[in-house]
Amino acid sequence: MRASGERLRRIIVDCSHIAPHPAPTGIPRVVMNYVEHGTPVAARAGVEVLCAEAGPDGFHLRDLGPIAAAEVRARKPIGLKLKLEAARYGARLLAALARLAAALVPARGVRRAMAQLEAFSLDMVPAMQRRRAVRRSPPGRRLELGRGDILFCPGYWHDTETSAYARARAAGAEVVFLVHDILPVTMPAHYVYPWRQEFEARLSASLDVVSHYYCISGETLRSLKAHAAWQGHSPRASIAYNGFDPEPPAHGEVPAALDAVLAEAPWLMVGTLEPKKGHEDAIAVFSHLWRAGYARPLVLIGRRGWMSEPIRDIIQTSPWLGTRLFWFDGLDDGAVATAYRKAHALLFASEAEGFGLPLLEAVSHGVPVLTRDIAVAREVLGEGDFYFKGRAGLVAALTEMESPVRRAAVRERQARMVWWDWASVAEAVVTDLMRAPDARGVGEVVLDPSRRRPVVQARKSGTDVEMLKKVASIG
């Protein structure tokens, strides 16, 4: 590992399991932002940034340059076109047969098995396209890692054998991880077996290999330190929040069913269907309110996640589906942006998160947020009276948000929010990364508070202005 005063030569960004895409999301977007914004920062200090991926014999160069949408839609060989069309037809047929079987034998076990089969069938074509994208960007030459190198891993280190990082460390390179969350360790019931055990095993093994951890929230840092302490380790770690760059107004194609329900200004939940997201609590509370005469719909936007079968059961067997409860999967960015703009408010019901991007997205669109009282939500949104605890608290909070005065006040407070953009995050992290290992900050936020910028300029409608005047008079 690099000693104090030893020259840093290269930062090798681990891009393993990242497929090229013109509009990456989630972890791939994080990796791409570090590459895009961190490369010029390192270059000014005379340090080279390279992208690499792990292979059986070490790390190889990887081309992770910008990929245009036109490249994704590039001319395909006739054989591939025929194969994709056949797969599309087969996938639709398989999905239809799965739905028919679930309808004919409505036992819960059969429904769940058929839901898994349907999800597999619907992913057949996207999986083929992902594999083709990876094949079109094969790994380059093998890298000889050594002293003066930092192997920075902001992506899927938890899906890579820890031995790959141990070999890099043994060769003299420093290994640094960006930790998004360790929820498979702290909330194992919400993650599939055996992946959750593999995650924990790789996290635990990393404690002997990694010299510094950057965590994307204080909550993740606390969880990491607690897990490490249980195993007799005290890792060097600090906080590096994800950046957020508000997207310019997008106007994609909005499905007719979504357009119709948006006319009613629904509540909105955005995120993958998975146990930790709180959909079950939300639907139970809304069903209670709907039975009592509450009219505002709830719209769920998000793809199927792992262990989503129970929540899909709840959605698809709800008597309110199609009248008050709606679920949309596979919407493009423009449609999601339209949903944010026309929603009454965002409901963020997650039981735990590593970060919580929908909080920032909603505020950037001028939409008020009601969130479960979890630590990471308070880190992002700050103090306020827009948090709820438990189902009873959610019933009260939803009812209160029907007051125009209340809604306008929440929206106004959240519109003052400031956050870091990706350029400032990457600059701060890469600058800290280039310091000697024992000179980096520990247990603190490495980002400069003065670099935060407004997430959105408050745009108050005439109605909101009147409501805020009433709020002021009450205060």
Side-chain angles (χ1 to χ4, degrees):
M1 188 172 70
R2 184 167 54 103
S4 180
E6 186 176 356
R7 182 178 178 275
L8 173 63
R9 298 186 304 150
R10 304 179 298 185
I11 297 175
I12 314 297
V13 182
D14 179 15
C15 301
S16 302
H17 312 292
I18 304 292
H21 196 281
T25 59
I27 288 178
R29 178 182 289 177
V30 172
V31 175
M32 291 292 289
N33 274 304
Y34 271 110
V35 172
E36 178 184 354
H37 297 293
T39 298
V41 176
R44 289 195 291 271
V47 175
E48 185 180 17
V49 173
L50 299 173
C51 296
E53 64 180 341
D57 60 342
F59 283 86
H60 290 252
L61 278 177
R62 171 77 184 278
D63 179 13
L64 203 69
I67 179 169
E71 293 180 58
V72 177
R73 297 190 297 268
R75 185 185 299 272
K76 301 179 180 70
I78 186 66
L80 177 62
K81 287 184 177 180
L82 291 173
K83 187 183 295 185
L84 288 174
E85 283 305 314
R88 288 191 181 98
Y89 177 80
R92 288 194 294 269
L93 179 61
L94 196 59
L97 289 173
R99 288 193 293 269
L100 177 61
L104 292 175
V105 188
R108 184 180 297 272
V110 173
R111 285 205 313 271
R112 290 185 179 179
M114 291 304 100
Q116 290 178 321
L117 179 60
E118 182 185 354
F120 166 78
S121 66
L122 294 176
D123 191 52
M124 282 172 58
V125 173
M128 290 173 64
Q129 292 173 323
R130 287 195 297 270
R131 287 194 294 270
R132 179 173 182 262
V134 171
R135 286 197 300 269
R136 291 177 67 197
S137 58
R141 66 176 172 83
R142 184 173 178 272
L143 289 171
E144 296 293 339
L145 299 180
R147 299 190 69 85
D149 289 335
I150 294 176
L151 181 57
F152 177 47
C153 312
Y156 294 106
W157 52 263
H158 47 267
D159 287 331
T160 302
E161 290 295 338
T162 312
S163 58
Y165 304 116
R167 287 193 297 270
R169 173 70 179 261
E174 182 187 3
V175 181
V176 176
F177 279 6
L178 178 74
V179 183
H180 299 273
D181 65 64
I182 66 164
L183 296 178
V185 175
T186 59
M187 302 180 72
H190 288 347
Y191 293 86
V192 294
Y193 173 87
W195 184 85
R196 63 178 185 246
Q197 289 191 337
E198 294 170 356
F199 180 100
E200 181 171 3
R202 287 169 178 163
L203 175 65
S204 299
S206 77
L207 295 168
D208 292 318
V209 175
V210 174
S211 63
H212 195 96
Y213 296 89
Y214 292 102
C215 300
I216 67 168
S217 66
E219 177 65 10
T220 298
L221 175 63
R222 287 187 289 274
S223 299
L224 173 66
K225 291 177 70 174
H227 176 72
W230 178 70
Q231 303 205 24
H233 288 269
S234 181
R236 297 183 64 85
S238 52
I239 302 167
Y241 292 109
N242 282 344
F244 177 69
D245 295 316
E247 298 290 336
H251 301 282
E253 183 177 347
V254 179
L258 176 60
D259 194 46
V261 71
L262 289 179
E264 301 180 58
W267 280 92
L268 188 65
M269 292 183 72
V270 177
T272 308
L273 292 191
E274 56 180 287
K276 71 178 182 183
K277 298 293 186 180
H279 293 98
E280 184 174 349
D281 281 347
I283 293 172
V285 166
F286 271 91
S287 297
H288 167 78
L289 290 173
W290 289 328
R291 286 192 294 270
Y294 186 69
R296 197 177 298 279
L298 171 64
V299 169
L300 313 177
I301 294 178
R303 61 179 174 80
R304 301 169 178 84
W306 48 25
M307 299 179 66
S308 64
E309 290 80 11
I311 186 61
R312 290 184 63 201
D313 275 349
I314 292 171
I315 294 170
Q316 293 174 340
T317 60
S318 170
W320 304 101
L321 183 63
T323 57
R324 289 286 179 267
L325 176 63
F326 300 85
W327 172 35
F328 296 93
D329 181 10
L331 297 180
D332 63 26
D333 289 346
V336 175
T338 299
Y340 271 124
R341 289 193 296 270
K342 295 187 176 182
H344 175 67
L346 176 77
L347 174 60
F348 190 77
S350 288
E351 297 174 21
E353 290 287 346
F355 184 60
L357 181 62
L359 300 171
L360 291 164
E361 290 177 335
V363 172
S364 75
H365 286 289
V367 178
V369 176
L370 178 64
T371 174
R372 191 187 296 270
D373 193 357
I374 59 175
V376 75
R378 288 189 177 270
E379 286 187 62
V380 174
L381 292 177
E383 295 303 313
D385 57 355
F386 32 78
Y387 297 96
F388 70 88
K389 293 182 178 180
R391 292 186 178 183
L394 180 55
V395 169
L398 291 172
T399 304
E400 290 171 4
M401 281 289 281
E402 288 302 316
S403 162
V405 174
R406 164 76 172 148
R407 180 179 181 275
V410 170
R411 180 182 177 186
E412 174 67 11
R413 281 196 293 276
Q414 292 174 347
R416 302 187 197 121
M417 182 180 174
V418 292
W419 200 256
W420 294 272
D421 60 17
W422 266 113
S424 61
V425 169
E427 180 179 350
V429 172
V430 171
T431 300
D432 193 61
L433 195 60
M434 291 189 294
R435 297 188 177 104
D438 58 0
R440 297 184 191 126
V442 175
E444 59 189 34
V445 179
V446 300
L447 312 180
D448 181 355
S450 69
R451 296 289 300 276
R452 292 178 296 177
R453 297 291 180 266
V455 172
V456 65
Q457 296 294 329
R459 295 183 293 273
K460 298 182 281 290
S461 67
T463 302
D464 280 346
V465 170
E466 292 303 314
M467 290 303 105
L468 290 169
K469 287 180 180 178
K470 292 180 181 180
V471 172
S473 66
I474 293 172

